[in-house]
Amino acid sequence: MKIKTFSIGGIHPDENKLTHEVPTQSAPLPTQAIFPLSQHIGAPAKPVVKKGDFVKVGTLIAEAGGFVSAPIYSSVSGIVFKIDTAIDATGYRKPAIFINVEGDEWEPSIDRTEKLELVKDHPELTPEEIVNRIKLGGVTGMGGAGFPTFIKLCPPPKAKAECVIINAVECEPYITADYRLMMEHSDEILVGLELLMKAAKVTRGYIGIEINKPAAIKLLKQKCNEVFCNSDYKVEVVPLQQRYPQGGEKQLVDAVIGRQVPAPPAIPVNVGAIVQNVGTAYAVYEAVMKHKPLIERYTTVTGKKLSKPANYLVRIGTPMLQLINLCGGMPEDDNKVLAGGPMMGKALTSTEVPICKGTNAVTVLSGDEARRRTPAPCIRCAKCVSACPMGLEPYLLAKLSAFKEWERAERNDIVSCIECGSCQFTCPAHRPLLDNIRLGKSTVMGIIKSRQIK
């Protein structure tokens, strides 16, 4: 059987799945939880609490600030200490709610039992009701940009969904949070997938998993045969080659169903696919079936120099330093700490940055691993072009960005860059390609938005 993959570009970084077989532990509660109001693409959430208010686990603390937005719920019980600013993973100070933790009192509406709820037992769950519960639960994409999940289930009028694809690829070389989630909560994930298919009004589902996770492939195939054998829904587990960045939406759609998503503003649903992360499917199950908003997530804490790298179920708002300390503390070295993995993660300016809805990993790189080599002149080898999964010319886009030639950068499709870092990874001259392209992409997107406003 031919193992599928996407058709353009891609690389294969060395695998460092240090926590692959480490069972997930529940992280202790923080003494103070920090909730940035921008944990998703779109408008920041608006606080609905004030200093001195007492909140429980699951209390709404910030409502959606617009259509493309998502509410935020407290993951702890305690007193609202202040509404101020806090440094987030971007390095900038953003509005946030600080809560001093007192006990662990939950909202009574949340079902905390371990009973598996099945879709067939809940006839009240119409597609509209499922979407509404996902929206109210503050569920966002948990493997990428943090897009509010309910919006993906309400495609534009001219787009029609034909299938739901679950992204269980986890192609970043260090991260294992999704793998552990699949091994420990496969039943809930499949119910979440069924809910997503029902909400999207489709009967076809796929779960894409890279072949370096044979146990997860075997388990989910077995479960799918049990759950969907006599069902109207047809679900297929699709083994995929190891290839980065296969977890990108467009690359995954190409790999699984062989369809190419056009350049922006096109999205996967324009070719019939709705893509959701495996963690999102689990969060959908909890929001819809257990009335549990998105208040915690699976997170890998890893690094070659950490004494005890591990996987944790973490309450959102927990400072990353607390997790590093659980893994033996910061190594003695010049370290770089990333929110995410080494390919697409963001380097932190402070370890007090909290775990957010989209934080799937905290990666600690030693000085030797993180240190960049001195850039040399471009040798025109075109390796960056071969590696680009979007079919772009990274060397050209980087040069146009460096020289501020924004019109040419736009004409050469800089906004299609998914910022995967494949170009910079493969460059033998160690050029800062992605750094320049990111600057150029953000500038060009700003120009496009200002043009639309006029």
Side-chain angles (χ1 to χ4, degrees):
M1 180 182 70
K2 183 179 179 181
I3 306 298
K4 295 183 176 182
T5 189
F6 57 99
S7 56
I8 302 173
I11 57 175
H12 184 48
D14 291 339
E15 186 172 302
N16 290 288
K17 304 282 190 181
L18 309 177
T19 52
H20 201 63
E21 300 304 329
V22 180
T24 306
Q25 310 167 55
S26 292
L29 296 176
T31 55
Q32 184 181 74
I34 306 168
F35 300 89
L37 299 180
S38 295
Q39 298 189 36
H40 48 264
I41 279 182
K46 296 179 180 179
V48 295
V49 292
K50 62 184 183 301
K51 180 179 179 179
D53 285 351
F54 176 77
V55 298
K56 300 177 182 179
V57 177
T59 299
L60 178 70
I61 58 175
E63 63 186 5
F67 178 69
V68 183
S69 188
I72 297 172
Y73 294 81
S74 177
S75 64
V76 296
S77 64
I79 304 296
V80 177
F81 176 62
K82 62 179 179 178
I83 300 175
D84 201 345
T85 60
I87 295 175
D88 68 4
T90 67
Y92 293 98
R93 299 196 73 88
K94 303 283 183 66
I97 298 171
F98 295 71
I99 297 176
N100 290 339
V101 179
E102 296 180 4
D104 192 28
E105 188 175 348
W106 289 57
E107 290 285 356
S109 58
I110 299 174
D111 180 358
R112 300 178 65 190
T113 67
E114 295 184 0
K115 179 189 174 185
L116 181 69
E117 299 291 343
L118 301 176
V119 179
K120 66 180 181 180
D121 297 329
H122 291 272
E124 77 279 7
L125 291 177
T126 63
E128 294 74 22
E129 177 63 16
I130 294 170
V131 171
N132 186 54
R133 291 191 188 186
I134 291 171
K135 181 178 181 179
L136 292 177
V139 181
T140 62
M142 297 175 70
F147 206 76
T149 300
F150 80 92
I151 294 178
K152 285 190 176 183
L153 299 172
C154 304
K158 294 183 180 180
K160 179 174 174 54
E162 298 175 26
C163 66
V164 171
I165 300 176
I166 295 298
N167 180 357
V169 171
E170 202 161 50
C171 57
E172 275 267 8
Y174 281 77
I175 305 175
T176 61
D178 285 351
Y179 172 73
R180 293 312 314 172
L181 179 60
M182 287 186 280
M183 297 305 296
E184 295 164 14
H185 290 285
S186 57
D187 293 324
E188 292 90 338
I189 289 167
L190 292 183
V191 176
L193 171 55
E194 187 174 350
L195 289 167
L196 288 166
M197 288 192 291
K198 186 172 182 178
K201 302 177 182 178
V202 301
T203 58
R204 191 74 189 175
Y206 300 91
I207 305 173
I209 311 177
E210 287 194 331
I211 56 174
N212 62 340
K213 306 173 186 65
I217 292 172
K218 180 180 179 181
L219 175 63
L220 285 171
K221 279 188 173 182
Q222 174 190 331
K223 294 285 186 178
C224 283
N225 288 335
E226 295 172 0
V227 173
F228 298 110
C229 62
N230 296 315
S231 168
D232 293 333
Y233 296 109
K234 305 301 179 185
V235 177
E236 179 184 351
V237 176
V238 183
L240 301 170
Q241 289 182 28
Q242 284 180 255
R243 197 171 176 193
Y244 176 87
Q246 198 148 230
E249 279 194 334
K250 295 185 177 183
Q251 287 67 43
L252 188 60
V253 171
D254 183 10
V256 172
I257 62 174
R259 298 182 185 178
Q260 298 281 337
V261 181
I267 54 178
V269 76
N270 292 120
V271 296
I274 292 176
V275 180
Q276 299 285 3
N277 178 263
V278 67
T280 307
Y282 181 64
V284 163
Y285 167 79
E286 293 201 308
V288 176
M289 295 302 205
K290 298 293 187 177
H291 304 282
K292 179 181 175 182
L294 183 49
I295 55 174
E296 56 188 0
R297 66 152 302 135
Y298 273 57
T299 303
T300 297
V301 186
T302 185
K304 294 179 181 177
K305 296 294 180 70
L306 284 180
S307 60
K308 296 182 292 183
N311 298 295
Y312 289 103
L313 180 62
V314 188
R315 301 283 181 94
I316 289 169
T318 302
M320 293 184 186
L321 179 60
Q322 177 176 320
L323 300 180
I324 294 171
N325 288 338
L326 289 172
C327 294
M330 194 72 74
E332 293 184 5
D333 199 350
D334 293 329
N335 300 294
K336 177 181 282 188
V337 182
L338 308 174
M343 297 304 297
M344 294 190 74
K346 291 181 171 64
L348 302 180
T349 59
S350 168
T351 52
E352 292 301 323
V353 170
I355 297 294
C356 294
K357 294 180 181 181
T359 312
N360 56 0
V362 179
T363 306
V364 180
L365 300 178
S366 66
D368 290 340
E369 293 174 293
R371 192 169 293 113
R372 293 192 178 193
R373 298 185 187 181
T374 304
C378 175
I379 61 174
R380 303 293 191 269
C381 66
K383 284 188 175 182
C384 62
V385 178
S386 299
C388 179
M390 297 304 296
L392 305 175
E393 297 178 280
Y395 73 92
L396 176 61
L397 296 177
K399 183 176 181 179
L400 295 176
S401 299
F403 285 93
K404 301 183 179 180
E405 295 190 30
W406 309 129
E407 289 185 10
R408 284 188 65 192
E410 183 180 352
R411 287 200 304 271
N412 282 275
D413 213 13
I414 195 170
V415 296
S416 288
C417 173
I418 61 172
E419 303 180 28
C420 66
S422 296
C423 56
Q424 195 156 303
F425 178 87
T426 198
C427 178
H430 313 296
R431 305 290 298 169
L433 299 173
L434 179 58
D435 299 341
N436 286 328
I437 293 172
R438 274 178 171 159
L439 173 63
K441 178 183 172 182
S442 63
T443 303
V444 168
M445 289 179 71
I447 292 170
I448 293 171
K449 287 179 182 178
S450 65
R451 201 161 57 218
Q452 292 170 343
I453 293 172
K454 292 177 182 178

